Every structure is written in structure tokens, then in C-alpha cells.
Amino acid sequence: MLRTKVAMSLNVRGARLGMLLALVTALAACGGGGDGVASTPMPTSGPPAASVGPLRDAATGAGKWVGAAVQSGYIASEPDYVATLSRHFSYLTAEYEMKWDPIQREQGVFDFSGGDAIVAFAEANGMRVKGHALVWHGATPPWVGTLSPPELRDAMANHIRTVASHYRGHVAAWDVVNEAIATDGSGLRDTVFSRGLGPDYIAAAFRTAREADPGALLFYNEYDAEGKGLKSDRVYELVQGLKQGGVPIDGVGMQMHVDATSYPQPADIAANMQRLAALGLLVNISEMDVRIRTAPGSTAQRLDLQKHVFHDIVAVCAAEARCHAVTFWGFSDKHSWIDAFFGADNPLLFDEGYRAKPAFFGVEDAFLGR
Ligand code: G3I
């Protein structure tokens, strides 16, 4: 019954959001409120981060972990970054420093300094850590591509074993395999791992991670597979097969890098979360940000649209018992991968001055059930 109610309200909300976007578009068309596309910075008149929330309390009230992707360099150099992070978040993901590339850039030489700094900060502030990502084609050093299949099998097992056992007891979860499905959802992505080891590399990675750290939750993590669609179905089939094969997987991460003008419908995300939960899996939103650069309307209208998108998507997780965490891919517009990849934008909860944006209150409301 709860789920049908949720589905119904999500459809209503989806429709309302559609109407909001149409309204803003109409307004922009008639030049009603348009300030044009603002480039970064976009200082808001929001309250300082130190004077709102804490967001982590609202999340705890909803039974959820709320996280952010971080880099140790910013923790070491920016007091406002540290103050906002420790006040509002209970779950940290290493944005880069726990990936294969920085940790084992040279075969057999391990550098844990960045990841260790993040773990130390988290433990000093009562936060959990998610390791990211043990096996990902996007941050794998060149030497891995020079290996023969047997050498690659050993190197992958050795990397997972060495890294997961180093952080054993210090991380609550790992993204074990990241982005293994082809962008078009046609099947497995063609990577150094699928080419060298075939599709079984995924099961092997999860088994090795479980052996190395039996206490960590193990996730498969993907993008553009949050709602309905071919890629979402491929992810479902992949993890269903792993579960049926007795492979130790605990859940799925939905990255949720979305644009305010085209995002997966909350009702579709809810349905996807429910079918994964029915497999006995946990789900989490693992890398959320909401781009508004191309959204029409004034700055205030675009920030309001962003607030609604954050609210409605986080509310799906808040309502789903098997969704245990929401992580944002950064938290201040001062530091986001989006600027370099998609063009200057303001995709996160706090502005460059660490003032709370409308988006922050959208997320807080979602956790508070408002
Ligand atoms: O730390 C070095 C620094 O010492 C050096 O001066 C600088 C210039 O070369 O590079 C810095 O490393 C960069 C690192 O980010 C930290 O900023 C790497 O070159 C750069 O490749 C790395 O990009 C990360 C990217 O993944 C690749 O690992 C992004 O920050 C990170 O946001 C992005 O995150 C991915 C997720 O892991 C998976 N899903 C998509 C998401 C966005 O692409």
C-alpha cells in the first residue's frame, strides 16, 4: 500500500515538476525573468553553512547516511570546506584517492596517503567511509593494459586484496566494480578487464573483496541506470545473475549525475529501487549532482528548479527502506568535476562561499518528509 501511495504521489510530483519546468521555459521565452545563463561563481544570498541544519541529523532521523565525495587536499587546506563537511555529512567517499590509478600507479608500489587522510578525518568526525572504486576502467594505470590475461587476473586479485585489507575495519562499504555496462546498455562495456578476463571478472572481483574485508558492504556502481531503460535493465540482469550465482554482492549504487532539464522520473527511480530491493539488495544514491547551466529562466528560478529536483529524487530514497544512503559528488559549487566536463555550472548544495543554496533545503525537506 505504502509503495502505491508513494508511486501515486511521485507521479503527481513528476507532473508538477514538469509543469514547473514548462512554466519557467514559458517565462524565459517571454523574457519574464531571464538573467540568462550564469557562469560560475553564482554567489547566493543563502545562510552560511554553519548556521543551518545539520543535514546529517535530518538524514539520521530518516534512517539514512548522507555523504559527499571529498579530496584530502581540500580537507588539508580549506577551513570552510572542513567545517561544512563535518557539520553536515556522515558518510565520505574518496572522489579519486582510493582508485587504482593513484593507489598503485606503479605495479607493486602502493600509496595509501590520500585515502588514509580521508579515513583519519572521517574517524575523527564520527563519519563512515565508502571506498571508491576497486575496479574501474576510468582510473586504471597504463601498466594494467600491458598484462597478459593470467597476469591481469593476478594483478586484479592482488590489488583488491591489498587495498581492501589495508582499509579493513575502516571502510563501511566499497564500490567494487564501477561502470561495467556499455553506455548504450547493449551489454558489458569493452574495457581492459572485460577484454582480458571476460565477463567473470565482475564475480571474481566481488569474491576477492569479500574475502579481504568480510565486514564491508559491497556495491556495483553505475550511471544513467537510475530510472527506466535498457541500461537499467542490464544492471538489473547483471546483479540478479550475481545474486543467483551466490556472488557476495550487497547492493547497487545509482550515481545520479542529472540535469535539471532532463532527469529520471522519481516514480521510475522508485520502481527500479523496488525491483533491486526485491532481489535482497540495498540501493544507494552514490554521486548525485544536478546541473542547471542550460536550464531556462532567472538565477532564482533555476535554483528553485534545482531544489525541486534534489528534493524529489532524495525523497525516493527517503521512502525506500532498502535505500540506505545518499551521497553527493562534492558539496560546494567551488569544487565540482562538472565544470571541467560539462562546462561551468552550480550543481551542488552550497555555493562557492559555503552558503546554503535552495538545493540544500530541498534535500533537508526530503529527509524530514516535507
Ligand atoms: O591529484 C592530482 C593532482 O596532484 C594533479 O596536480 C592534477 C593535475 O593532473 O590531477 C589530480 O588528479 C586528478 C583527480 O581527479 C583529483 O582532482 C586526476 O587527474 C583526475 O583524472 C581526477 O578526475 C576524477 C575522475 O573521476 C577520474 O578519476 C574526478 O575528480 C572525479 O570527480 C571523477 O569521478 C567519477 C567517478 O569516479 C565515477 N563516476 C563518474 C565520476 C565523474 O567522472
Side-chain angles (χ1 to χ4, degrees):
M1 184 55 195
L2 167 64
R3 296 223 172 116
T4 332
K5 266 202 213 128
V6 171
M8 269 158 47
S9 81
L10 289 167
N11 285 337
V12 172
R13 281 180 182 279
R16 202 178 291 141
L17 258 182
M19 271 161 51
L20 179 69
L21 186 55
L23 169 65
V24 173
T25 310
L27 264 178
C30 64
D35 291 342
V37 175
S39 57
T40 302
M42 179 199 269
T44 68
S45 55
S51 70
V52 293
L55 190 61
R56 60 191 286 178
D57 293 353
T60 302
K64 312 293 177 185
W65 305 349
V66 62
V70 298
Q71 297 192 27
S72 68
Y74 303 140
I75 291 173
S77 63
E78 288 191 39
D80 287 344
Y81 184 95
V82 165
T84 304
L85 193 55
S86 50
R87 178 178 176 78
H88 291 291
F89 298 95
S90 58
Y91 192 31
L92 299 187
T93 299
E95 182 173 5
Y96 176 66
E97 293 155 287
M98 286 186 177
K99 291 170 179 170
W100 192 326
D101 187 31
I103 279 189
Q104 197 187 170
R105 188 154 289 169
E106 196 187 319
Q107 185 164 17
V109 181
F110 289 83
D111 174 4
F112 294 112
S113 55
D116 289 359
I118 291 170
V119 166
F121 177 80
E123 292 178 349
N125 290 279
M127 302 162 152
R128 293 182 178 91
V129 173
K130 176 162 56 172
H132 170 85
L134 289 168
V135 178
W136 181 40
H137 67 280
T140 300
W143 63 266
V144 174
T146 67
L147 302 176
S148 68
E151 290 169 339
L152 177 60
R153 181 171 292 108
D154 294 348
M156 186 181 86
N158 180 55
H159 181 78
I160 295 171
R161 203 173 293 122
T162 306
V163 176
S165 50
H166 174 84
Y167 286 112
R168 182 172 175 165
H170 296 284
V171 300
W174 273 103
D175 288 334
V176 177
V177 176
N178 187 44
E179 301 177 12
I181 301 288
T183 302
D184 62 2
S186 58
L188 272 191
R189 180 187 291 269
D190 173 39
T191 70
V192 61
F193 301 107
S194 58
R195 277 193 305 278
L197 304 174
D200 293 346
Y201 83 90
I202 298 173
F206 277 93
R207 290 198 176 96
T208 309
R210 179 71 93 210
E211 278 162 28
D213 186 352
L217 294 171
L218 304 181
F219 289 97
Y220 174 75
N221 197 48
E222 190 57 88
Y223 69 93
D224 283 359
E226 295 91 0
K228 266 198 194 132
L230 203 51
K231 199 172 177 188
S232 175
D233 293 345
R234 285 288 95 73
V235 171
Y236 179 79
E237 289 155 13
L238 170 68
V239 296
Q240 181 185 44
L242 294 173
K243 283 292 284 183
Q244 288 168 346
V247 175
I249 178 173
D250 298 299
V252 172
M254 298 179 173
Q255 292 185 15
M256 211 63 78
H257 296 290
V258 303
D259 191 293
T261 61
S262 65
Y263 50 91
Q265 284 307 295
D268 296 336
I269 299 171
N272 195 20
M273 285 187 176
Q274 285 158 15
R275 67 172 175 169
L276 291 165
L279 294 174
L281 293 169
L282 290 171
V283 291
N284 74 93
I285 293 175
S286 59
E287 304 185 14
M288 188 170 186
D289 41 36
V290 179
R291 301 183 300 278
I292 54 172
R293 191 168 66 87
T294 61
S298 68
T299 299
Q301 287 160 335
R302 290 160 55 229
L303 291 172
D304 189 52
L305 175 62
Q306 184 181 53
K307 171 184 178 180
H308 284 94
V309 175
F310 269 114
H311 174 275
D312 287 2
I313 292 178
V314 173
V316 175
C317 179
E320 172 52 56
R322 298 289 287 174
C323 182
H324 77 123
V326 177
T327 292
F328 305 100
W329 211 236
F331 55 98
S332 159
D333 293 339
K334 188 174 179 182
H335 300 298
S336 170
W337 72 289
I338 297 283
D339 296 333
F341 201 88
F342 288 97
D345 207 324
N346 308 87
L348 294 163
L349 306 186
F350 297 91
D351 70 14
E352 301 79 20
Y354 295 95
R355 285 177 292 271
K357 294 164 60 180
F360 170 90
F361 298 103
V363 171
E364 187 182 45
D365 285 350
F367 283 133
L368 295 173
R370 297 197 293 231

